[in-house]
């Protein structure tokens, strides 16, 4: 037990500075990108700093599996350099037995990443998006006032969605239960049958809206266009669990449950869900990725240091970790572009690594 705690502590001590260094590096790059928008509208340097801070949890989701590898290489590799692992193996401990504690730690980190993806990342990403949207809105208002217009420039931030046989447009992003300037295009057998233009709409629940001050244009085939006005009208819609917020928010800011609900809604309305499925499987594979990267350190820290010094082993391990990160990032884009199977592409790299490590562990136990 003390040996396991010793190995876990060594790995965590190495993991912390690696985490801080990589987060600082990638945050600096993100800040440089955000600073390009400073000065547009009311987007200030303070907003840019806040956005970089709020996107830290999402950045951590991408980097932590690689950080685990680096932490294991540096922390446990340091023990190998001092022949402490050789001494442990001399008393009959196999590499797998020695790494049991760090492996359980990696699994715990993977589960923590899933919880963060469900509860922490959505809140932080939506707040970051709110800051960006606020800057863009203020920019539109300033532009409109400069042109002498009374209202912000319309139509540039309209929200569109499909619900059953209806296509819905809302002026601006929905905010709360009251929507402004709503249009509903109703179809039957792929033919437009009516258009509803409502000054506002109150969201009763995700299945029903109450339209107010409605103009209804009926455009049935072989009949003249009928135009009538209504003070109010109840209208059935079909929105996912979470309502409009789930549809409006960027996919990267959705929790796992909301992402799954958005995929279900898009499928029900015959919309493309491939990109959403890639993102969902990428997040669901986080525990497996954490475990695979943790175990990837094994061949580099165990072995005869007389054949290859531990310093060079760690260097090769770092190169392998960086290569894995780049391959994973590229494969996500390839999956979206070439419509590759999301589950297979998300799990294949980790399963290949685990299979190769299984063979390596079997050969070590046989030797």
């Amino acid at each position: 037990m003390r040996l396991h705690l010793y190995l876990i502590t060594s790995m965590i001590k190495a993991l912390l500075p690696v985490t801080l260094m990589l987060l600082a590096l990638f945050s600096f790059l993100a800040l440089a990108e955000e600073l390009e928008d400073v000065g547009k509208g009311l987007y200030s340097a303070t907003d840019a700093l806040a956005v970089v801070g709020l996107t830290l949890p999402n950045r951590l989701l991408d980097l932590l599996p690689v950080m685990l590898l680096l932490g294991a290489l540096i922390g446990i590799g340091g023990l190998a350099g001092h022949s402490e692992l050789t001494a442990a193996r001399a008393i009959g401990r196999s590499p797998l037995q020695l790494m049991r504690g760090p492996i359980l730690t990696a699994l715990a980190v993977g589960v923590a990443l899933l919880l963060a993806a469900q509860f922490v990342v959505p809140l932080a990403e939506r707040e970051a998006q709110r800051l960006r949207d606020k800057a863009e809105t203020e920019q539109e208002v300033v532009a409109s006032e400069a042109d002498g217009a009374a209202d912000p420039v319309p139509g540039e931030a309209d929200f569109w969605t499909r619900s059953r046989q209806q296509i819905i447009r809302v002026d601006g992003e929905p905010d709360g239960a009251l929507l402004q300037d709503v249009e509903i295009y109703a179809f039957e057998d792929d033919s437009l049958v009516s258009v509803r233009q409502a000054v506002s709409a109150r969201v009763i629940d995700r299945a029903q809206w109450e339209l107010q001050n409605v103009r209804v244009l009926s455009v049935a085939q072989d009949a003249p266009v009928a135009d009538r006005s209504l003070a109010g009208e109840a209208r059935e819609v079909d929105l996912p669990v979470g309502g409009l917020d789930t549809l409006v928010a960027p996919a990267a800011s959705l929790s796992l449950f909301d992402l799954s609900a958005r995929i279900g809604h898009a499928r029900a309305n015959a919309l493309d869900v491939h990109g959403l499925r890639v993102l969902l499987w990428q997040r669901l594979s986080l525990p497996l990725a954490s475990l695979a990267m943790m175990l990837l350190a094994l061949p580099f820290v165990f072995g005869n240091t007389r054949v290859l010094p531990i310093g060079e082993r760690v260097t090769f391990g770092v190169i392998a970790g960086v290569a894995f990160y780049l391959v994973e990032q590229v494969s996500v884009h390839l999956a979206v572009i070439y419509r590759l199977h999301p589950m297979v592409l998300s799990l294949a790299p980790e399963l290949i690594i685990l299979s190769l490590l299984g063979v390596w562990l079997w050969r070590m136990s046989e030797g």
Side-chain angles (χ1 to χ4, degrees):
M1 186 64 183
R2 288 184 178 180
L3 183 57
H4 290 317
L5 290 176
Y6 182 56
L7 289 170
I8 292 172
T9 304
S10 300
M11 186 182 73
I12 291 176
K13 283 182 178 177
L15 179 62
L16 290 177
V18 168
T19 302
L20 292 176
M21 183 186 68
L22 288 181
L23 279 182
L25 174 62
F26 281 85
S27 296
F28 178 78
L29 296 176
L31 179 61
E33 187 175 345
E34 291 295 331
L35 288 176
E36 292 179 1
D37 292 332
V38 171
K40 297 178 181 177
L42 296 180
Y43 196 63
S44 65
T46 305
D47 295 326
L49 286 171
V51 168
V52 171
L54 289 167
T55 51
L56 267 179
N58 203 8
R59 206 167 294 124
L60 198 59
L61 292 186
D62 291 334
L63 295 174
L64 202 50
V66 177
M67 292 173 182
L68 281 171
L69 171 64
L70 299 181
L73 284 170
I74 297 172
I76 302 177
L79 302 181
H82 293 92
S83 302
E84 293 178 72
L85 293 183
T86 303
R89 293 191 63 188
I91 60 174
R93 300 293 182 87
S94 68
L96 187 58
Q97 289 174 324
L98 288 174
M99 294 296 285
R100 188 177 301 163
I103 288 173
L104 293 176
T105 304
L107 284 174
V109 169
V111 174
L113 289 178
L114 275 185
L115 294 175
Q118 174 63 31
F119 298 107
V120 179
V121 171
L123 295 176
E125 285 290 325
R126 289 186 185 187
E127 182 61 20
Q129 189 61 43
R130 189 189 65 80
L131 287 176
R132 294 188 182 112
D133 291 346
K134 178 185 174 184
E136 292 174 1
T137 302
E138 294 292 348
Q139 185 181 18
E140 291 173 358
V141 172
V142 170
S144 299
E145 290 176 346
D147 294 339
D151 300 316
V153 178
E156 293 189 359
D158 289 356
F159 167 72
W160 292 82
T161 188
R162 182 173 177 176
S163 173
R164 297 175 181 169
Q165 295 297 310
Q166 304 176 118
I167 293 179
I168 302 172
R169 183 194 71 82
V170 179
D171 186 23
E173 290 190 0
D175 183 17
L178 187 62
L179 311 177
Q180 301 294 332
D181 190 10
V182 177
E183 289 182 351
I184 299 178
Y185 300 83
F187 293 82
E188 286 183 8
D189 299 328
D190 296 330
S191 297
L192 181 66
V193 295
S194 69
V195 178
R196 282 169 168 76
Q197 298 174 323
V199 174
S200 61
R202 191 164 63 90
V203 178
I204 306 300
D205 52 39
R206 68 185 185 91
Q208 190 174 31
W209 290 0
E210 183 181 317
L211 306 181
Q212 297 164 347
N213 297 324
V214 192
R215 181 187 181 192
V216 182
L217 298 173
S218 298
V219 289
Q221 194 172 10
D222 301 330
V225 176
D227 187 351
R228 57 195 173 98
S229 297
L230 302 172
E233 181 189 32
R235 191 72 184 173
E236 290 187 357
V237 295
D238 180 22
L239 299 177
V241 176
L244 279 175
D245 289 343
T246 301
L247 294 178
V248 174
S253 68
L254 294 177
S255 68
L256 297 175
F257 291 151
D258 286 343
L259 193 54
S260 179
R262 184 156 159 180
I263 290 173
H265 175 267
R267 272 181 172 164
N269 289 282
L271 300 175
D272 186 14
V273 298
H274 190 72
L276 297 174
R277 290 183 63 208
V278 170
L279 179 60
L280 179 63
W281 277 106
Q282 186 186 17
R283 290 187 173 177
L284 290 177
S285 68
L286 282 172
L288 198 61
S290 300
L291 177 62
M293 296 306 285
M294 173 70 239
L295 289 174
L296 187 58
L298 288 180
F300 297 102
V301 298
F302 288 96
N304 191 346
T305 55
R306 294 178 182 175
V307 177
L308 190 64
I310 189 63
E312 294 184 19
R313 290 174 181 272
V314 171
T315 301
F316 287 134
V318 171
I319 294 173
V322 173
F324 176 84
Y325 174 78
L326 294 177
V327 168
E328 193 175 40
Q329 295 298 311
V330 171
S331 65
V332 169
H333 294 290
L334 291 178
V336 175
I337 294 172
Y338 295 105
R339 305 188 66 79
L340 304 177
H341 197 287
M343 183 182 71
V344 173
L345 201 71
S346 298
L347 299 181
E350 289 83 1
L351 292 176
I352 290 173
I353 289 176
L354 290 175
S355 300
L356 293 175
L357 289 172
V359 173
W360 179 82
L361 285 170
W362 175 76
R363 293 183 62 182
M364 289 289 288
S365 62
E366 289 294 314

